[in-house]
């Protein structure tokens, strides 16, 4: 099917309910007189409460800091889980969850999937960020096991707007609220759509959910659903053979056979926009994007492009660019700085690709490809990237300095899965 030559946009006005967290943010003034001074790292949230100046995002027992509280959650071959603080080097064991095959991070929580048992274990990484007007608050607490969700063949997991949704293979969408999880409570809300291999993303008090014809494996459109499962209007949201999704600063992206679908919201208006691949079509060796990755809070995405290299998608501009590589890639992530995409070659090499022209900016060999049973791990934030080497060690990469390995971090195990949270 030939893609359209220009993006197609459809709009619908919707009176959405807004989560309590969003209402709280809206109620916090942005007037300079209302903005507290930058928090001191020695001050705890508990102390702030005792002084009658409880900081925004306060959680009993949490400590407020002056900088992001990044956490690295690692999963070993037997399902052992630890959380590492890369600043202090502290490693906190959380538990052992055999059969864990995938890990997905949100702002604070990590969701560990076990499709064989039909469970999703929820881990509190103990580090998170709360936006507050023109600044942010940073918090830390002890990592721990929160609880689990159960269902038939857990699949795609997506966090947004203070919630996380899990799409199960029988078409059940199950969502949990992060405020509940912070209190140690797992209180899911569920509804069901047609069974397929799909995805659900919390969005503006509702949910964006893939839609498939009965018996189809993949979806052909995206629908908007209320928390009780009522379908709401969302015209122009076709997405043939939907695979892959991501939450960006611009909106929510779904991968389609002919490009991507971008869903945005502004002043109660929900808009679905089609972002087609370049008019020339896919070059030889290139494949469509099937999984997206990027720095949290960015409006840029990257994806593996078959054996041809990496796709870069600028959601703000609505443009795709193919960054060709000599070596096939195992993973790709956008740095979100408008300048580069980082990628892992199948040999274990780390590449930095220039967005403007696709040039190879730098390359660095790691200690070989990831060990058998490991998922390609490439976690990226504004200053550093974290990858796993062949031995399951975490390498901290300064990607602005020619992919220099800044240090090797211990996780207390030979990591097979890695997730960064806290930003």
């Amino acid at each position: 099917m030939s893609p359209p030559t220009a993006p197609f946009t459809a709009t619908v006005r919707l009176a959405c309910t807004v989560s309590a967290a969003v209402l709280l943010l809206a109620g916090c003034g942005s007037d300079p007189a209302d903005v507290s001074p930058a928090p001191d790292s020695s001050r705890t949230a508990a102390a702030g409460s005792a002084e009658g100046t409880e900081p925004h995002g306060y959680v009993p027992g949490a400590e407020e800091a002056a900088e992001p509280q990044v956490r690295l959650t690692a999963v070993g071959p037997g399902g052992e889980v630890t959380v590492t603080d890369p600043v202090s080097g502290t490693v906190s064991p959380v538990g052992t969850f055999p059969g864990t095959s995938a890990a997905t991070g949100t702002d604070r929580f990590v969701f560990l999937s076990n499709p064989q048992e039909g469970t999703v274990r929820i881990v509190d990484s103990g580090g998170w960020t709360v936006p507050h007007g023109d600044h942010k608050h940073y918090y830390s607490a002890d990592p721990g096991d929160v609880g689990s969700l159960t269902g038939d063949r857990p699949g795609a997991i997506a966090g947004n707007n203070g919630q996380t949704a899990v799409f199960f293979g029988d078409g059940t969408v199950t969502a949990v609220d992060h405020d509940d999880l912070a209190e140690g409570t797992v209180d899911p809300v569920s509804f069901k759509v047609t069974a397929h291999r799909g995805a659900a993303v919390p969005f503006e008090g509702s949910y964006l959910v893939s839609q498939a014809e009965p018996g189809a494996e993949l979806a052909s459109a995206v629908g908007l659903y209320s928390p009780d499962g009522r379908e709401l209007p969302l015209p122009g949201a076709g997405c043939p053979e939907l695979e892959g999704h991501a939450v960006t600063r611009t909106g929510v992206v779904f991968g389609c056979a002919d490009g991507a679908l971008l869903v945005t919201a502004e002043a109660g208006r929900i808009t679905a926009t089609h972002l087609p691949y370049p008019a020339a079509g896919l070059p030889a060796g290139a494949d469509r994007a099937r999984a997206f990755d990027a720095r949290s809070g960015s409006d840029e995405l990257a994806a593996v492009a078959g054996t041809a290299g990496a796709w870069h998608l600028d959601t703000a501009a609505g443009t795709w660019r193919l960054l060709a590589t000599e070596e096939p890639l195992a993973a790709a992530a956008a740095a979100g700085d408008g300048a580069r995409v980082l990628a892992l070659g199948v040999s274990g090499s780390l590449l930095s690709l220039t967005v403007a022209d696709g040039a190879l900016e730098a390359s660095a060999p790691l200690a070989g490809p990831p060990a058998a049973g490991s998922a390609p791990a490439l976690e990226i934030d504004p200053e550093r990237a974290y990858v796993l080497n062949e031995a399951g060690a975490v390498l901290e990469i300064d990607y602005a300095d020619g992919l220099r390995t800044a240090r090797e971090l211990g996780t207390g195990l030979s990591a097979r899965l890695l997730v960064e949270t806290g930003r």
Side-chain angles (χ1 to χ4, degrees), residues 43-68:
R43 167 181 166 142
T44 65
S49 178
E51 296 166 4
T53 57
E54 183 176 289
H56 179 70
Y58 165 75
V59 174
E63 182 175 347
E64 185 170 7
E67 57 189 16

Side-chain angles (χ1 to χ4, degrees), residues 91-119:
V91 178
S92 302
V94 173
T96 301
F97 311 110
T100 297
S101 63
T104 303
T106 61
D107 54 352
R108 172 177 179 177
F109 301 97
V110 177
F111 293 76
L112 308 175
S113 299
N114 183 335
Q116 290 189 340
E117 293 187 1
T119 60

